[in-house]
Amino acid sequence: MSAVTRGATRQGAVFVAAITTYFALQTVLRLWLGGALETDEAEMMVMTPGLRWGYGPQLPLYNWLQWVLFELFGRDLFALSLLKNLLLWATYLFVFIGLRLFVPAGVAAAGALSLYLIPDVAWEAQRATTHSNMLLFTSAITLAAFLWVLKTGRWAAYGALGLAIGLGGLAKYNYWLVPIGLIAAALTLPAFRARVLSPRLLLSLGIAGLVLAGPYGWMLRNPGLAFSSSGKLAMGTAPGLAEQALDGLGQLLAGAAILSVLAVIVGAIVWAVGRGRRAGDPPPPVAALLLRAGAVVLVLMAMGVVAAGVGRITPRWLLPLVFLAVPGGAVWLGARMRPRGGVAFAAILAVLALAVLTGLGFDRYKDRARRAVDFTPLPEVLAGVAPQPGTPVVAEFYAAGNLARLRPDWRIAPYLPFAMREFGGGPVLFVLRENTPETLEQGLREAGWDDPGDPQILEQGAFTLTFTTSGEAMKMRYYLVDTPGPGGDD
């Protein structure tokens, strides 16, 4: 084994050891901090009743894997934290594996670790999100498989790409920007164009179609449930379409800046420290591929905002953009750095990792932290209103999931249309947290009773739950309602 090969193997081993240690620490930290479940964690407690083609407005892949871990380890915090951190660990690993096909191990590690400079990856993915973590993972395996296709053109690579695209299509809707961006960018690069235009790509499309057929068929049969969150986009209609589109474009650019500003700052520091080496060398083609793919995604998102009059953009919806562009910039930079630039980058990442680990601990104890709510009195309060476990309970995800954690034998559903189909035709206990939902009538509509009319309220009241860190009260309301059945009959 040559010295170069030994060095690359050592760098790869250090990279894998570093990400493994970090995500093991994150798992231990979450279990040690304990407390109530975050909203997305709580969602999994009530949206994993078994293996189904679909569950609601979110695509099903995360739910499937979470159900498997619940079956193996029980329906509690360990299974929730394990899946989240496994997905994030695998995201970094597969980005590294893909990049390693084209660049040295050190540059590939820099490209993969640059994802940590995206706030929604380093912070939010640990603190709150679930399905976005699946988006990151499936984007990573798609990138690795796509780069394998570009490197070798093997049938196995095209098959892996099809499987990755199929799984990504079951992760999150904005995932589709990743393969579209990569394919469009590859077509602009002569070195890669032939691989994309190969008839073998039909194998990828066929495998992806097979993976997607069942869940997407369910979506077509259940559009009301599958697309019940489309209102988040705040899509406009004439005459307010242009105004909303301008608002959406502004939010798109602001969101892209929020997600990329740290990477730009760190990149500038690393460039100042390590510039000069191989300055005249052309950048690796994979850097151009990723940067162009990011540009394609930005253009497609802007076109979508204008065409649909989207008036609300959340930064995490832009993850496909920065997932491609930030590692692309890191690879371009890493291939042109002196060794001391890499040392500076590693030092910055170490400081950021320590800050995130420390910050997550403080986040658990801040005023009105979601994890600081004491839900233990909730089952007793609700059991005093209606007999349990017989009376169905409908609550928003946060309260529903934490209640299900305490009482897994109760019949509990979130405010989604399937609640009416499963519980309609008898007494149902509706729980409202503060202003979520704002009124009982709004909650009934969200839960599937499209025309609630004048609800037959059997009992109503209010109570509070306590934030253990501050002693503040979280206001709760309940309504015991005699609901009509799915056909409209009592």
Side-chain angles (χ1 to χ4, degrees), residues 3 23 47 112 145 205 215 221 224 265 267 333 379 412-413 418 428 432 477 484:
F23 288 110
M47 295 297 284
L205 300 178
R221 295 190 300 272
I265 293 172
L333 189 62
I412 304 168
F418 68 79
V428 177
L432 290 73
R477 292 171 287 157

Side-chain angles (χ1 to χ4, degrees), residues 23-365:
F23 288 110
L25 285 173
Q26 285 285 13
T27 303
V28 171
L29 177 65
R30 181 65 185 99
L31 296 175
W32 178 66
L33 292 174
L37 303 177
E38 291 282 356
T39 300
D40 280 20
E41 293 173 331
E43 177 186 339
M44 288 299 103
M45 300 298 292
V46 291
M47 295 297 284
T48 50
L51 292 178
R52 300 180 180 179
W53 288 126
Y55 300 89
Q58 295 282 9
L59 291 167
L61 184 56
Y62 198 102
N63 304 61
W64 291 347
L65 294 184
Q66 189 64 78
W67 177 82
V68 170
L69 291 187
F70 279 156
E71 292 296 301
L72 291 174
F73 302 110
R75 302 180 71 84
D76 213 334
L77 188 56
F78 175 72
L80 291 165
S81 183
L82 180 62
L83 178 56
K84 173 178 293 192
N85 284 285
L86 279 175
L87 291 175
L88 293 172
W89 174 83
T91 296
Y92 289 92
L93 179 65
F94 277 97
V95 171
F96 172 80
I97 289 172
L99 294 176
R100 185 68 183 90
L101 295 170
F102 286 89
V103 296
V107 177
L113 291 173
S114 69
L115 292 172
Y116 200 76
L117 302 176
I118 303 169
D120 274 47
V121 177
W123 180 262
E124 284 299 298
Q126 280 294 341
R127 190 191 67 83
T129 58
T130 51
H131 290 90
S132 292
N133 297 11
M134 184 62 76
L135 164 70
L136 292 169
F137 166 69
T138 53
S139 296
I141 62 174
T142 299
L143 176 61
F146 190 74
L147 294 177
W148 188 18
V149 165
L150 298 183
K151 184 69 174 182
T152 68
R154 294 178 181 173
W155 281 104
Y158 284 97
L161 178 61
L163 179 60
I165 292 174
L167 294 175
L170 301 179
K172 211 166 174 65
Y173 292 110
N174 55 342
Y175 158 82
W176 288 108
L177 293 167
V178 173
I180 292 173
L182 287 170
I183 291 172
L187 289 173
T188 70
L189 295 165
F192 297 145
R193 191 176 299 137
R195 301 294 195 201
V196 175
L197 296 177
S198 170
R200 295 185 179 188
L201 189 63
L202 294 175
L203 173 65
S204 304
L205 300 178
I207 292 174
L210 289 174
V211 174
L212 296 168
Y216 277 49
W218 177 89
M219 289 163 55
L220 294 174
R221 295 190 300 272
N222 299 273
L225 181 55
F227 305 110
S228 59
S229 291
S230 58
K232 291 181 179 180
L233 295 172
M235 290 185 288
T237 56
L241 184 64
E243 183 178 349
Q244 287 218 157
L246 287 175
D247 288 342
L249 285 175
Q251 293 179 36
L252 172 63
L253 295 176
I258 290 170
L259 293 182
S260 59
V261 62
L262 180 59
V264 172
I265 293 172
V266 172
I269 295 172
V270 171
W271 173 254
V273 172
R275 64 181 176 179
R277 179 186 174 199
R278 297 194 303 273
D281 292 352
V286 70
L289 174 75
L290 293 175
L291 290 170
R292 293 187 189 189
V296 169
V297 170
L298 180 60
V299 170
L300 289 175
M301 297 191 81
M303 291 172 60
V305 167
V306 172
V310 175
R312 179 173 178 267
I313 301 290
T314 299
R316 70 172 178 272
W317 299 347
L318 310 184
L319 280 174
L321 165 61
V322 288
F323 172 83
L324 296 166
V326 170
V331 169
W332 182 91
L333 189 62
R336 301 165 69 87
M337 284 193 308
R338 292 173 179 162
R340 66 189 184 192
V343 174
F345 183 55
I348 292 171
L349 286 177
V351 172
L352 288 174
L354 182 60
V356 169
L357 286 164
T358 304
L360 287 170
F362 282 106
D363 184 73
R364 164 69 174 82
Y365 295 103

